[in-house]
Amino acid sequence: MNVAAQVQLESLDVRAARVAEVARQHADAVDAEGRFPAEAVAAMKAERLLGIQVPVSEGGEGASFSDIAELCSVISQACASSSMIFAMHHIKLSSLVEHGFQSPWHMAFMARVAREQLLLGSATTEGGIGGNLRNSICAIEIDGDRCRLEKDATVISYGAQSDAILITSRAGKDAAPSDQVMTVFLKDQYTLERTHVWDTLGMRGTCSDGFLFRGEAPAEQVFPQPFAEIAAQSMLAASHLLWSGVWYGIAADAVAKAQAFVRAAARKSPGQTPPGAVRLAEISAQLQMVKSNVIAGLKTYEEARHDGEKLSSMAFAVAMNNVKICSSEMILPIINGAMLVCGIMGYKNKTPFSLGRNLRDAHSAQLMISNDRIYGNTSSMLLVHKQDTSLLG
Amino acid sequence: MNEKIRELLAKLGNLPTPVETLADDADLYTAGLSSFASVQLMLGIEDAFDVEFPDHLLNRKSFQSIAAIENTVQQILAARKVA
Ligand SMILES: Cc1cc2nc3c(=O)[nH]c(=O)nc-3n(C[C@H](O)[C@H](O)[C@H](O)COP(=O)(O)OP(=O)(O)OC[C@H]3O[C@@H](n4cnc5c(N)ncnc54)[C@H](O)[C@@H]3O)c2cc1C
């Protein structure tokens, strides 16, 4: 039996725990230096985790969004940047897995991702457009069997380390801004000229530099269906659910640190309730809310997954938007509460209770597709969509 | 009904192309209908035909083209007659 097959005999949890261990060892250096978590990503590849979403028939393991979200949470509790890279890779892979079956090229490519453990990057954000991902300025040029694209991609996480980039554009030079396609370009089919450096408050290891992207590839690498369909039916859900898995992990780690702090205090003075104990109970309830919200979102997706009509309904879009809003907003008061529990020990760096990185990483959540933008989008849908008021429905 | 839908589309659709040039089965999303504009169009149609879109019809397909919109509205009106 070869090494890959042997690794795949072990459960995803065990393999992710080993990745988390590697990620944890380097997390502070990755954060301080703002460098790519090369060790953690190498561990993901060694554990064959980059291909798990690909169906078994194509050489993967057929992992669901729920499986992957759980791994995001596990890795995030050690290093949120590593986990976000893992999440973003799988969000891109979901476009191939959910929409690639109509095209031989994309089918073959997803098998290759699993076989070679290729890392997929994303370029939706564009200069002059920001996070309005359903609009593009740049246009793909299709010339016979070749396609060419130039994009002012202001944020491409691990762009320099990606093995391929999935990139959005208008469908052609005369297409409307919302008439978009997505194309896969392989590393040797594009050049990246760095235009912005990712020196940020948090999520520093994602290395989300800005680039001028210039690519040329066979035209069959353009997804056959409109990007609108890919976005509505899988990408938005994948993004909001897997990101939420990462964010939940950041908050869960903070709550675990606060609990360790309170328990240590309780053991020192038995018979007395430590001062942080009530606050801990409060953030534990808040964390449960985030968790329930993510689980409910995952369940909604898994139930709708094979029902194109449900996936493109407003009810589904509103539900996914709400998952993102809730998890990205709730993690901040939770981590803040954990900081109040741990006090100076949480505020200081390099203690077992340090929460600085959690807090800084967590602040990216509301901006990663601005919550104001998402609120705007949901509020417009709520003008016609009537909220389901049942408890279980 | 077709004419009224076209009139509302011209007013609320915010399309870069003139509505007269669109065939009944032309893809409105390809023509540049944004999700915001599609909601405005739905509201306009609800008001003009005195209907309410049930949730299962609030999807991209129902508003994909002028013909699809017409079909969607007919469906709601027919269901009302039966009820
Ligand atoms: C860690 C991280 C990794 C990322 N990785 C990638 C990547 O790999 N590839 C990629 O393409 N992108 C990536 N992004 C970018 C991300 O997806 C968003 O596009 C980006 O965060 C939005 O940028 P912006 O705030 O400049 O732009 P905008 O979306 O333009 O928002 C700017 C501000 O304007 C306001 N605003 C704008 N429009 C509206 C509206 N309609 N309603 C209300 N308010 C509005 C909001 O207050 C918002 O904060 C990443 C972001 C982060 C944080």
Side-chain angles (χ1 to χ4, degrees), chain A residues 203-251:
Chain A
M203 285 295 184
R204 295 172 54 79
T206 59
C207 297
S208 313
D209 293 340
F211 297 97
L212 184 60
F213 173 102
R214 284 196 193 87
E216 184 178 338
E220 61 183 346
Q221 292 179 210
V222 181
F223 276 87
Q225 54 281 82
F227 176 64
E229 211 170 283
I230 299 175
Q233 301 206 346
S234 67
M235 199 180 111
L236 288 180
S239 304
H240 293 169
L241 295 170
L242 299 186
W243 290 347
S244 290
V246 176
W247 300 331
Y248 167 80
I250 302 176

mmCIF file of all heavy atoms in Angstrom, chain A residues 203-251:
data_model
loop_
_atom_site.group_PDB
_atom_site.id
_atom_site.type_symbol
_atom_site.label_atom_id
_atom_site.label_comp_id
_atom_site.label_asym_id
_atom_site.label_seq_id
_atom_site.Cartn_x
_atom_site.Cartn_y
_atom_site.Cartn_z
ATOM 1 N N MET A 203 -4.766 37.767 10.802
ATOM 2 C CA MET A 203 -4.756 36.849 9.665
ATOM 3 C C MET A 203 -3.519 37.096 8.808
ATOM 4 O O MET A 203 -3.566 37.084 7.575
ATOM 5 C CB MET A 203 -6.026 37.018 8.815
ATOM 6 C CG MET A 203 -7.259 36.420 9.444
ATOM 7 S SD MET A 203 -7.099 34.621 9.569
ATOM 8 C CE MET A 203 -8.706 34.181 10.224
ATOM 9 N N ARG A 204 -2.408 37.298 9.513
ATOM 10 C CA ARG A 204 -1.193 37.756 8.828
ATOM 11 C C ARG A 204 -0.556 36.664 7.982
ATOM 12 O O ARG A 204 0.135 36.934 7.011
ATOM 13 C CB ARG A 204 -0.208 38.308 9.861
ATOM 14 C CG ARG A 204 -0.747 39.559 10.553
ATOM 15 C CD ARG A 204 0.134 40.015 11.717
ATOM 16 N NE ARG A 204 1.514 40.217 11.347
ATOM 17 C CZ ARG A 204 1.995 41.290 10.721
ATOM 18 N NH1 ARG A 204 1.176 42.277 10.411
ATOM 19 N NH2 ARG A 204 3.266 41.382 10.425
ATOM 20 N N GLY A 205 -0.830 35.420 8.352
ATOM 21 C CA GLY A 205 -0.210 34.310 7.624
ATOM 22 C C GLY A 205 -0.910 33.972 6.317
ATOM 23 O O GLY A 205 -0.402 33.154 5.543
ATOM 24 N N THR A 206 -2.085 34.585 6.065
ATOM 25 C CA THR A 206 -2.748 34.269 4.792
ATOM 26 C C THR A 206 -2.007 34.911 3.624
ATOM 27 O O THR A 206 -2.251 34.563 2.469
ATOM 28 C CB THR A 206 -4.227 34.719 4.769
ATOM 29 O OG1 THR A 206 -4.290 36.132 4.986
ATOM 30 C CG2 THR A 206 -5.057 33.996 5.827
ATOM 31 N N CYS A 207 -1.110 35.868 3.928
ATOM 32 C CA CYS A 207 -0.307 36.517 2.883
ATOM 33 C C CYS A 207 -1.177 36.937 1.697
ATOM 34 O O CYS A 207 -0.919 36.551 0.552
ATOM 35 C CB CYS A 207 0.811 35.593 2.414
ATOM 36 S SG CYS A 207 1.959 35.213 3.732
ATOM 37 N N SER A 208 -2.210 37.739 2.004
ATOM 38 C CA SER A 208 -3.202 38.093 0.981
ATOM 39 C C SER A 208 -2.781 39.347 0.217
ATOM 40 O O SER A 208 -3.492 40.358 0.214
ATOM 41 C CB SER A 208 -4.570 38.272 1.630
ATOM 42 O OG SER A 208 -4.850 37.198 2.506
ATOM 43 N N ASP A 209 -1.628 39.273 -0.417
ATOM 44 C CA ASP A 209 -1.106 40.413 -1.173
ATOM 45 C C ASP A 209 -2.016 40.749 -2.353
ATOM 46 O O ASP A 209 -2.822 39.937 -2.790
ATOM 47 C CB ASP A 209 0.292 40.090 -1.713
ATOM 48 C CG ASP A 209 1.325 39.945 -0.601
ATOM 49 O OD1 ASP A 209 1.074 40.444 0.510
ATOM 50 O OD2 ASP A 209 2.382 39.334 -0.848
ATOM 51 N N GLY A 210 -1.857 41.971 -2.868
ATOM 52 C CA GLY A 210 -2.552 42.361 -4.094
ATOM 53 C C GLY A 210 -1.627 42.121 -5.279
ATOM 54 O O GLY A 210 -0.399 42.254 -5.155
ATOM 55 N N PHE A 211 -2.225 41.752 -6.402
ATOM 56 C CA PHE A 211 -1.406 41.444 -7.588
ATOM 57 C C PHE A 211 -2.087 41.935 -8.858
ATOM 58 O O PHE A 211 -3.321 41.930 -8.950
ATOM 59 C CB PHE A 211 -1.221 39.924 -7.740
ATOM 60 C CG PHE A 211 -0.492 39.243 -6.629
ATOM 61 C CD1 PHE A 211 -1.191 38.613 -5.606
ATOM 62 C CD2 PHE A 211 0.904 39.221 -6.593
ATOM 63 C CE1 PHE A 211 -0.526 37.958 -4.579
ATOM 64 C CE2 PHE A 211 1.574 38.563 -5.562
ATOM 65 C CZ PHE A 211 0.862 37.930 -4.563
ATOM 66 N N LEU A 212 -1.275 42.279 -9.814
ATOM 67 C CA LEU A 212 -1.785 42.416 -11.166
ATOM 68 C C LEU A 212 -1.640 41.027 -11.783
ATOM 69 O O LEU A 212 -0.526 40.517 -11.916
ATOM 70 C CB LEU A 212 -0.974 43.456 -11.938
ATOM 71 C CG LEU A 212 -1.505 43.740 -13.335
ATOM 72 C CD1 LEU A 212 -2.936 44.273 -13.271
ATOM 73 C CD2 LEU A 212 -0.622 44.761 -14.050
ATOM 74 N N PHE A 213 -2.771 40.415 -12.092
ATOM 75 C CA PHE A 213 -2.789 39.042 -12.604
ATOM 76 C C PHE A 213 -2.843 39.090 -14.122
ATOM 77 O O PHE A 213 -3.695 39.781 -14.701
ATOM 78 C CB PHE A 213 -4.030 38.333 -12.044
ATOM 79 C CG PHE A 213 -4.276 36.953 -12.616
ATOM 80 C CD1 PHE A 213 -3.934 35.816 -11.899
ATOM 81 C CD2 PHE A 213 -4.870 36.789 -13.864
ATOM 82 C CE1 PHE A 213 -4.167 34.553 -12.417
ATOM 83 C CE2 PHE A 213 -5.103 35.524 -14.394
ATOM 84 C CZ PHE A 213 -4.755 34.402 -13.669
ATOM 85 N N ARG A 214 -1.951 38.368 -14.774
ATOM 86 C CA ARG A 214 -2.004 38.247 -16.244
ATOM 87 C C ARG A 214 -1.915 36.777 -16.599
ATOM 88 O O ARG A 214 -0.933 36.111 -16.269
ATOM 89 C CB ARG A 214 -0.810 38.962 -16.891
ATOM 90 C CG ARG A 214 -0.926 40.462 -16.907
ATOM 91 C CD ARG A 214 0.090 41.057 -17.899
ATOM 92 N NE ARG A 214 0.208 42.489 -17.692
ATOM 93 C CZ ARG A 214 1.034 43.066 -16.822
ATOM 94 N NH1 ARG A 214 1.856 42.332 -16.081
ATOM 95 N NH2 ARG A 214 1.070 44.372 -16.701
ATOM 96 N N GLY A 215 -2.965 36.259 -17.241
ATOM 97 C CA GLY A 215 -2.964 34.832 -17.540
ATOM 98 C C GLY A 215 -3.409 34.521 -18.956
ATOM 99 O O GLY A 215 -4.168 35.283 -19.569
ATOM 100 N N GLU A 216 -2.919 33.396 -19.459
ATOM 101 C CA GLU A 216 -3.373 32.891 -20.751
ATOM 102 C C GLU A 216 -3.421 31.369 -20.665
ATOM 103 O O GLU A 216 -2.500 30.737 -20.142
ATOM 104 C CB GLU A 216 -2.412 33.319 -21.869
ATOM 105 C CG GLU A 216 -2.941 32.869 -23.219
ATOM 106 C CD GLU A 216 -2.079 33.280 -24.409
ATOM 107 O OE1 GLU A 216 -1.298 34.237 -24.299
ATOM 108 O OE2 GLU A 216 -2.210 32.604 -25.437
ATOM 109 N N ALA A 217 -4.540 30.791 -21.139
ATOM 110 C CA ALA A 217 -4.732 29.344 -20.974
ATOM 111 C C ALA A 217 -5.676 28.836 -22.051
ATOM 112 O O ALA A 217 -6.333 29.635 -22.739
ATOM 113 C CB ALA A 217 -5.328 29.074 -19.595
ATOM 114 N N PRO A 218 -5.774 27.499 -22.211
ATOM 115 C CA PRO A 218 -6.797 26.963 -23.118
ATOM 116 C C PRO A 218 -8.187 27.391 -22.650
ATOM 117 O O PRO A 218 -8.467 27.411 -21.446
ATOM 118 C CB PRO A 218 -6.621 25.448 -22.984
ATOM 119 C CG PRO A 218 -5.218 25.252 -22.501
ATOM 120 C CD PRO A 218 -4.924 26.443 -21.635
ATOM 121 N N ALA A 219 -9.061 27.736 -23.594
ATOM 122 C CA ALA A 219 -10.379 28.277 -23.253
ATOM 123 C C ALA A 219 -11.249 27.263 -22.516
ATOM 124 O O ALA A 219 -12.194 27.633 -21.826
ATOM 125 C CB ALA A 219 -11.085 28.766 -24.517
ATOM 126 N N GLU A 220 -10.920 25.981 -22.631
ATOM 127 C CA GLU A 220 -11.734 24.964 -21.929
ATOM 128 C C GLU A 220 -11.600 25.072 -20.412
ATOM 129 O O GLU A 220 -12.356 24.446 -19.676
ATOM 130 C CB GLU A 220 -11.341 23.551 -22.390
ATOM 131 C CG GLU A 220 -9.901 23.217 -22.093
ATOM 132 C CD GLU A 220 -9.463 21.839 -22.596
ATOM 133 O OE1 GLU A 220 -10.332 21.037 -22.948
ATOM 134 O OE2 GLU A 220 -8.244 21.600 -22.639
ATOM 135 N N GLN A 221 -10.680 25.904 -19.923
ATOM 136 C CA GLN A 221 -10.514 26.057 -18.483
ATOM 137 C C GLN A 221 -11.515 27.038 -17.882
ATOM 138 O O GLN A 221 -11.587 27.203 -16.666
ATOM 139 C CB GLN A 221 -9.063 26.450 -18.162
ATOM 140 C CG GLN A 221 -8.105 25.299 -18.472
ATOM 141 C CD GLN A 221 -6.637 25.602 -18.220
ATOM 142 O OE1 GLN A 221 -5.775 25.055 -18.900
ATOM 143 N NE2 GLN A 221 -6.310 26.467 -17.271
ATOM 144 N N VAL A 222 -12.292 27.713 -18.757
ATOM 145 C CA VAL A 222 -13.384 28.567 -18.276
ATOM 146 C C VAL A 222 -14.524 27.632 -17.862
ATOM 147 O O VAL A 222 -14.876 26.721 -18.614
ATOM 148 C CB VAL A 222 -13.894 29.506 -19.399
ATOM 149 C CG1 VAL A 222 -15.008 30.412 -18.879
ATOM 150 C CG2 VAL A 222 -12.754 30.336 -19.982
ATOM 151 N N PHE A 223 -15.079 27.828 -16.659
ATOM 152 C CA PHE A 223 -16.230 27.013 -16.260
ATOM 153 C C PHE A 223 -17.367 27.222 -17.253
ATOM 154 O O PHE A 223 -17.656 28.368 -17.628
ATOM 155 C CB PHE A 223 -16.725 27.424 -14.870
ATOM 156 C CG PHE A 223 -15.982 26.782 -13.725
ATOM 157 C CD1 PHE A 223 -14.825 27.351 -13.222
ATOM 158 C CD2 PHE A 223 -16.454 25.617 -13.144
ATOM 159 C CE1 PHE A 223 -14.151 26.766 -12.153
ATOM 160 C CE2 PHE A 223 -15.789 25.026 -12.083
ATOM 161 C CZ PHE A 223 -14.636 25.593 -11.582
ATOM 162 N N PRO A 224 -18.059 26.144 -17.677
ATOM 163 C CA PRO A 224 -19.104 26.314 -18.681
ATOM 164 C C PRO A 224 -20.334 27.077 -18.160
ATOM 165 O O PRO A 224 -20.992 27.768 -18.927
ATOM 166 C CB PRO A 224 -19.474 24.882 -19.078
ATOM 167 C CG PRO A 224 -18.928 24.001 -17.998
ATOM 168 C CD PRO A 224 -17.775 24.729 -17.376
ATOM 169 N N GLN A 225 -20.626 26.963 -16.852
ATOM 170 C CA GLN A 225 -21.837 27.662 -16.381
ATOM 171 C C GLN A 225 -21.505 29.061 -15.886
ATOM 172 O O GLN A 225 -20.373 29.339 -15.509
ATOM 173 C CB GLN A 225 -22.583 26.862 -15.310
ATOM 174 C CG GLN A 225 -21.788 26.422 -14.107
ATOM 175 C CD GLN A 225 -20.932 25.210 -14.380
ATOM 176 O OE1 GLN A 225 -19.841 25.357 -14.917
ATOM 177 N NE2 GLN A 225 -21.390 24.039 -14.017
ATOM 178 N N PRO A 226 -22.517 29.973 -15.900
ATOM 179 C CA PRO A 226 -22.232 31.329 -15.442
ATOM 180 C C PRO A 226 -21.774 31.341 -13.979
ATOM 181 O O PRO A 226 -22.203 30.495 -13.184
ATOM 182 C CB PRO A 226 -23.575 32.063 -15.574
ATOM 183 C CG PRO A 226 -24.571 31.082 -16.047
ATOM 184 C CD PRO A 226 -23.910 29.783 -16.308
ATOM 185 N N PHE A 227 -20.911 32.299 -13.635
ATOM 186 C CA PHE A 227 -20.431 32.397 -12.258
ATOM 187 C C PHE A 227 -21.598 32.643 -11.300
ATOM 188 O O PHE A 227 -21.570 32.191 -10.147
ATOM 189 C CB PHE A 227 -19.376 33.507 -12.128
ATOM 190 C CG PHE A 227 -18.924 33.726 -10.716
ATOM 191 C CD1 PHE A 227 -18.244 32.718 -10.032
ATOM 192 C CD2 PHE A 227 -19.194 34.907 -10.044
ATOM 193 C CE1 PHE A 227 -17.844 32.898 -8.705
ATOM 194 C CE2 PHE A 227 -18.789 35.105 -8.726
ATOM 195 C CZ PHE A 227 -18.119 34.095 -8.052
ATOM 196 N N ALA A 228 -22.639 33.337 -11.787
ATOM 197 C CA ALA A 228 -23.813 33.615 -10.939
ATOM 198 C C ALA A 228 -24.342 32.314 -10.338
ATOM 199 O O ALA A 228 -24.715 32.250 -9.165
ATOM 200 C CB ALA A 228 -24.906 34.285 -11.753
ATOM 201 N N GLU A 229 -24.371 31.284 -11.153
ATOM 202 C CA GLU A 229 -24.894 29.999 -10.712
ATOM 203 C C GLU A 229 -23.941 29.360 -9.682
ATOM 204 O O GLU A 229 -24.374 28.834 -8.664
ATOM 205 C CB GLU A 229 -24.995 29.098 -11.940
ATOM 206 C CG GLU A 229 -26.096 28.078 -11.902
ATOM 207 C CD GLU A 229 -26.220 27.428 -13.280
ATOM 208 O OE1 GLU A 229 -26.782 28.063 -14.198
ATOM 209 O OE2 GLU A 229 -25.712 26.314 -13.428
ATOM 210 N N ILE A 230 -22.657 29.420 -9.976
ATOM 211 C CA ILE A 230 -21.669 28.842 -9.060
ATOM 212 C C ILE A 230 -21.721 29.560 -7.715
ATOM 213 O O ILE A 230 -21.716 28.934 -6.655
ATOM 214 C CB ILE A 230 -20.249 28.944 -9.665
ATOM 215 C CG1 ILE A 230 -20.181 28.157 -10.982
ATOM 216 C CG2 ILE A 230 -19.189 28.473 -8.688
ATOM 217 C CD1 ILE A 230 -18.856 28.282 -11.717
ATOM 218 N N ALA A 231 -21.810 30.899 -7.786
ATOM 219 C CA ALA A 231 -21.840 31.690 -6.547
ATOM 220 C C ALA A 231 -23.072 31.330 -5.731
ATOM 221 O O ALA A 231 -22.976 31.039 -4.535
ATOM 222 C CB ALA A 231 -21.835 33.186 -6.882
ATOM 223 N N ALA A 232 -24.229 31.335 -6.387
ATOM 224 C CA ALA A 232 -25.482 31.124 -5.646
ATOM 225 C C ALA A 232 -25.576 29.702 -5.116
ATOM 226 O O ALA A 232 -26.034 29.475 -4.002
ATOM 227 C CB ALA A 232 -26.677 31.443 -6.540
ATOM 228 N N GLN A 233 -25.146 28.723 -5.943
ATOM 229 C CA GLN A 233 -25.430 27.342 -5.578
ATOM 230 C C GLN A 233 -24.384 26.693 -4.691
ATOM 231 O O GLN A 233 -24.669 25.703 -4.045
ATOM 232 C CB GLN A 233 -25.613 26.499 -6.837
ATOM 233 C CG GLN A 233 -26.745 27.055 -7.683
ATOM 234 C CD GLN A 233 -27.383 26.006 -8.560
ATOM 235 O OE1 GLN A 233 -26.840 24.934 -8.735
ATOM 236 N NE2 GLN A 233 -28.538 26.324 -9.107
ATOM 237 N N SER A 234 -23.159 27.204 -4.692
ATOM 238 C CA SER A 234 -22.192 26.554 -3.807
ATOM 239 C C SER A 234 -21.183 27.495 -3.181
ATOM 240 O O SER A 234 -20.845 27.344 -2.015
ATOM 241 C CB SER A 234 -21.450 25.437 -4.547
ATOM 242 O OG SER A 234 -20.632 25.995 -5.550
ATOM 243 N N MET A 235 -20.720 28.503 -3.925
ATOM 244 C CA MET A 235 -19.586 29.246 -3.399
ATOM 245 C C MET A 235 -19.936 30.108 -2.180
ATOM 246 O O MET A 235 -19.179 30.157 -1.213
ATOM 247 C CB MET A 235 -18.963 30.108 -4.489
ATOM 248 C CG MET A 235 -17.556 30.521 -4.123
ATOM 249 S SD MET A 235 -16.812 31.514 -5.390
ATOM 250 C CE MET A 235 -16.747 33.063 -4.540
ATOM 251 N N LEU A 236 -21.098 30.780 -2.240
ATOM 252 C CA LEU A 236 -21.459 31.621 -1.097
ATOM 253 C C LEU A 236 -21.675 30.761 0.137
ATOM 254 O O LEU A 236 -21.204 31.081 1.227
ATOM 255 C CB LEU A 236 -22.700 32.466 -1.409
ATOM 256 C CG LEU A 236 -22.426 33.602 -2.392
ATOM 257 C CD1 LEU A 236 -23.688 34.408 -2.657
ATOM 258 C CD2 LEU A 236 -21.333 34.540 -1.872
ATOM 259 N N ALA A 237 -22.366 29.649 -0.044
ATOM 260 C CA ALA A 237 -22.605 28.753 1.091
ATOM 261 C C ALA A 237 -21.279 28.216 1.623
ATOM 262 O O ALA A 237 -21.010 28.251 2.822
ATOM 263 C CB ALA A 237 -23.515 27.608 0.678
ATOM 264 N N ALA A 238 -20.420 27.737 0.708
ATOM 265 C CA ALA A 238 -19.131 27.189 1.140
ATOM 266 C C ALA A 238 -18.347 28.247 1.906
ATOM 267 O O ALA A 238 -17.774 27.977 2.967
ATOM 268 C CB ALA A 238 -18.329 26.706 -0.068
ATOM 269 N N SER A 239 -18.324 29.469 1.382
ATOM 270 C CA SER A 239 -17.564 30.536 2.037
ATOM 271 C C SER A 239 -18.097 30.794 3.440
ATOM 272 O O SER A 239 -17.353 30.779 4.413
ATOM 273 C CB SER A 239 -17.653 31.840 1.238
ATOM 274 O OG SER A 239 -17.208 31.637 -0.077
ATOM 275 N N HIS A 240 -19.396 31.011 3.519
ATOM 276 C CA HIS A 240 -19.935 31.407 4.823
ATOM 277 C C HIS A 240 -19.835 30.280 5.842
ATOM 278 O O HIS A 240 -19.578 30.517 7.023
ATOM 279 C CB HIS A 240 -21.373 31.904 4.658
ATOM 280 C CG HIS A 240 -21.441 33.190 3.880
ATOM 281 N ND1 HIS A 240 -22.608 33.731 3.407
ATOM 282 C CD2 HIS A 240 -20.462 34.040 3.495
ATOM 283 C CE1 HIS A 240 -22.340 34.858 2.762
ATOM 284 N NE2 HIS A 240 -21.042 35.058 2.792
ATOM 285 N N LEU A 241 -19.984 29.051 5.380
ATOM 286 C CA LEU A 241 -19.937 27.922 6.319
ATOM 287 C C LEU A 241 -18.507 27.586 6.734
ATOM 288 O O LEU A 241 -18.237 27.373 7.914
ATOM 289 C CB LEU A 241 -20.614 26.697 5.692
ATOM 290 C CG LEU A 241 -22.125 26.868 5.444
ATOM 291 C CD1 LEU A 241 -22.662 25.715 4.605
ATOM 292 C CD2 LEU A 241 -22.881 26.975 6.761
ATOM 293 N N LEU A 242 -17.599 27.535 5.774
ATOM 294 C CA LEU A 242 -16.226 27.165 6.134
ATOM 295 C C LEU A 242 -15.524 28.304 6.868
ATOM 296 O O LEU A 242 -14.784 28.075 7.825
ATOM 297 C CB LEU A 242 -15.432 26.704 4.909
ATOM 298 C CG LEU A 242 -16.001 25.464 4.196
ATOM 299 C CD1 LEU A 242 -15.064 24.991 3.085
ATOM 300 C CD2 LEU A 242 -16.291 24.322 5.159
ATOM 301 N N TRP A 243 -15.759 29.542 6.442
ATOM 302 C CA TRP A 243 -15.217 30.671 7.208
ATOM 303 C C TRP A 243 -15.721 30.589 8.649
ATOM 304 O O TRP A 243 -14.968 30.779 9.599
ATOM 305 C CB TRP A 243 -15.652 32.027 6.617
ATOM 306 C CG TRP A 243 -15.034 32.383 5.304
ATOM 307 C CD1 TRP A 243 -13.961 31.775 4.710
ATOM 308 C CD2 TRP A 243 -15.447 33.432 4.420
ATOM 309 N NE1 TRP A 243 -13.699 32.401 3.502
ATOM 310 C CE2 TRP A 243 -14.576 33.410 3.298
ATOM 311 C CE3 TRP A 243 -16.453 34.395 4.450
ATOM 312 C CZ2 TRP A 243 -14.685 34.316 2.239
ATOM 313 C CZ3 TRP A 243 -16.576 35.305 3.392
ATOM 314 C CH2 TRP A 243 -15.708 35.256 2.302
ATOM 315 N N SER A 244 -17.020 30.313 8.774
ATOM 316 C CA SER A 244 -17.594 30.250 10.120
ATOM 317 C C SER A 244 -16.947 29.147 10.942
ATOM 318 O O SER A 244 -16.794 29.293 12.157
ATOM 319 C CB SER A 244 -19.112 30.042 10.051
ATOM 320 O OG SER A 244 -19.737 31.216 9.562
ATOM 321 N N GLY A 245 -16.560 28.054 10.293
ATOM 322 C CA GLY A 245 -15.834 26.993 11.001
ATOM 323 C C GLY A 245 -14.511 27.534 11.548
ATOM 324 O O GLY A 245 -14.128 27.262 12.690
ATOM 325 N N VAL A 246 -13.824 28.326 10.725
ATOM 326 C CA VAL A 246 -12.560 28.938 11.161
ATOM 327 C C VAL A 246 -12.814 29.881 12.342
ATOM 328 O O VAL A 246 -12.128 29.826 13.371
ATOM 329 C CB VAL A 246 -11.913 29.746 9.999
ATOM 330 C CG1 VAL A 246 -10.656 30.468 10.474
ATOM 331 C CG2 VAL A 246 -11.597 28.842 8.805
ATOM 332 N N TRP A 247 -13.826 30.746 12.174
ATOM 333 C CA TRP A 247 -14.085 31.765 13.209
ATOM 334 C C TRP A 247 -14.539 31.127 14.514
ATOM 335 O O TRP A 247 -14.140 31.554 15.586
ATOM 336 C CB TRP A 247 -15.113 32.782 12.696
ATOM 337 C CG TRP A 247 -14.628 33.487 11.458
ATOM 338 C CD1 TRP A 247 -13.320 33.742 11.114
ATOM 339 C CD2 TRP A 247 -15.425 34.002 10.382
ATOM 340 N NE1 TRP A 247 -13.276 34.392 9.902
ATOM 341 C CE2 TRP A 247 -14.545 34.579 9.426
ATOM 342 C CE3 TRP A 247 -16.802 34.059 10.124
ATOM 343 C CZ2 TRP A 247 -14.988 35.181 8.253
ATOM 344 C CZ3 TRP A 247 -17.254 34.665 8.964
ATOM 345 C CH2 TRP A 247 -16.353 35.221 8.032
ATOM 346 N N TYR A 248 -15.358 30.106 14.398
ATOM 347 C CA TYR A 248 -15.780 29.387 15.606
ATOM 348 C C TYR A 248 -14.531 28.871 16.339
ATOM 349 O O TYR A 248 -14.433 28.986 17.562
ATOM 350 C CB TYR A 248 -16.715 28.221 15.246
ATOM 351 C CG TYR A 248 -16.911 27.283 16.410
ATOM 352 C CD1 TYR A 248 -17.812 27.601 17.433
ATOM 353 C CD2 TYR A 248 -16.142 26.118 16.531
ATOM 354 C CE1 TYR A 248 -17.946 26.779 18.541
ATOM 355 C CE2 TYR A 248 -16.269 25.293 17.634
ATOM 356 C CZ TYR A 248 -17.169 25.624 18.635
ATOM 357 O OH TYR A 248 -17.293 24.812 19.731
ATOM 358 N N GLY A 249 -13.587 28.335 15.577
ATOM 359 C CA GLY A 249 -12.363 27.794 16.180
ATOM 360 C C GLY A 249 -11.578 28.863 16.938
ATOM 361 O O GLY A 249 -11.032 28.601 18.018
ATOM 362 N N ILE A 250 -11.528 30.085 16.392
ATOM 363 C CA ILE A 250 -10.804 31.170 17.078
ATOM 364 C C ILE A 250 -11.470 31.455 18.427
ATOM 365 O O ILE A 250 -10.809 31.606 19.457
ATOM 366 C CB ILE A 250 -10.804 32.472 16.227
ATOM 367 C CG1 ILE A 250 -10.180 32.225 14.852
ATOM 368 C CG2 ILE A 250 -10.081 33.584 16.962
ATOM 369 C CD1 ILE A 250 -10.244 33.452 13.924
ATOM 370 N N ALA A 251 -12.797 31.517 18.416
ATOM 371 C CA ALA A 251 -13.533 31.819 19.644
ATOM 372 C C ALA A 251 -13.469 30.648 20.624
ATOM 373 O O ALA A 251 -13.316 30.842 21.840
ATOM 374 C CB ALA A 251 -14.987 32.161 19.310
#
